[in-house]
């Protein structure tokens, strides 16, 4: 029997939990302890494999010091159940920024970049990275 793919909203909410946890420098184990769960359960939440219930999401929001709405910011728009998505709807907002910030490299790079006070230097760094990436 094939595994069911995670729901896009569950994946998005989980990635936002991961991003916020990493922003606070909190380990999965520490979040799990605060929730009376194992770090493996936290991993499943963050991957969207397991759905986070409403009361659990409220608890997570308090531990991570953000409103519940934070976890849904930038969530993909999905058609209502039973309605076919014919592609005519507006394109979902890109998630590459939150996906990037949910990685340790993305978070470290962003934090370091924001500490650079010289705006011209920041611009030159962006130009350099675009050249390395082959972007015009």
């Amino acid at each position: 029997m094939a595994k069911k793919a995670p729901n896009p909203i569950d994946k998005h909410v989980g990635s936002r939990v991961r991003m916020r946890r990493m922003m606070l420098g909190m380990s999965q184990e520490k979040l799990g302890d605060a929730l009376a769960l194992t770090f493996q359960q936290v991993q499943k939440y963050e991957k969207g494999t397991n759905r986070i219930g409403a009361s659990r999401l409220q608890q997570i929001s308090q531990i991570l010091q953000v409103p519940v709405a934070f976890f849904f910011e930038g969530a993909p728009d999905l058609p209502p159940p039973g309605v076919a998505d014919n592609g005519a709807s507006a394109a979902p907002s890109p998630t590459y920024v939150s996906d990037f910030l949910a990685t340790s490299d993305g978070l470290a790079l962003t934090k370091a970049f924001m500490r650079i006070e010289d705006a011209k230097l920041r611009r030159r760094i962006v130009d350099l990275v675009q050249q390395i990436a082959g972007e015009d």
Side-chain angles (χ1 to χ4, degrees):
M1 188 169 172
K3 279 190 174 181
K4 186 178 169 190
N7 178 290
I9 300 295
D10 294 333
K11 249 181 118 170
H12 178 81
V13 168
S15 74
R16 298 284 291 179
V17 169
R18 177 177 167 78
M19 178 177 67
R20 180 61 182 164
R21 176 183 60 74
M22 291 176 71
M23 288 172 77
L24 295 174
M26 182 183 290
S27 69
Q28 288 177 330
E29 187 173 11
K30 186 173 178 187
L31 178 57
D33 288 347
L35 295 167
L37 299 171
T38 64
F39 79 89
Q40 292 96 332
Q41 180 63 44
V42 172
Q43 280 180 333
K44 289 179 180 182
Y45 282 158
E46 290 182 355
K47 290 179 182 175
T49 306
N50 286 8
R51 182 169 286 165
I52 304 173
S55 59
R56 179 75 73 199
L57 191 60
Q58 176 68 36
Q59 195 178 11
I60 291 170
S61 77
Q62 291 171 347
I63 294 165
L64 298 181
Q65 303 165 6
V66 290
V68 171
F70 170 85
F71 302 113
F72 295 93
E73 290 173 5
D77 290 330
L78 300 176
V83 176
D85 184 5
N86 60 8
S89 61
S93 60
T95 60
Y96 66 91
V97 173
S98 59
D99 290 347
F100 175 68
L101 289 173
T103 67
S104 55
D105 287 343
L107 188 57
L109 184 62
T110 302
K111 283 182 174 180
F113 185 80
M114 294 310 296
R115 286 194 306 268
I116 300 170
E117 294 181 13
D118 184 341
K120 288 182 181 179
L121 179 57
R122 281 197 312 266
R123 182 69 246 171
R124 288 174 44 209
I125 291 169
V126 170
D127 292 341
L128 174 65
V129 172
Q130 287 176 331
Q131 282 183 338
I132 292 169
E135 188 178 308
D136 294 329

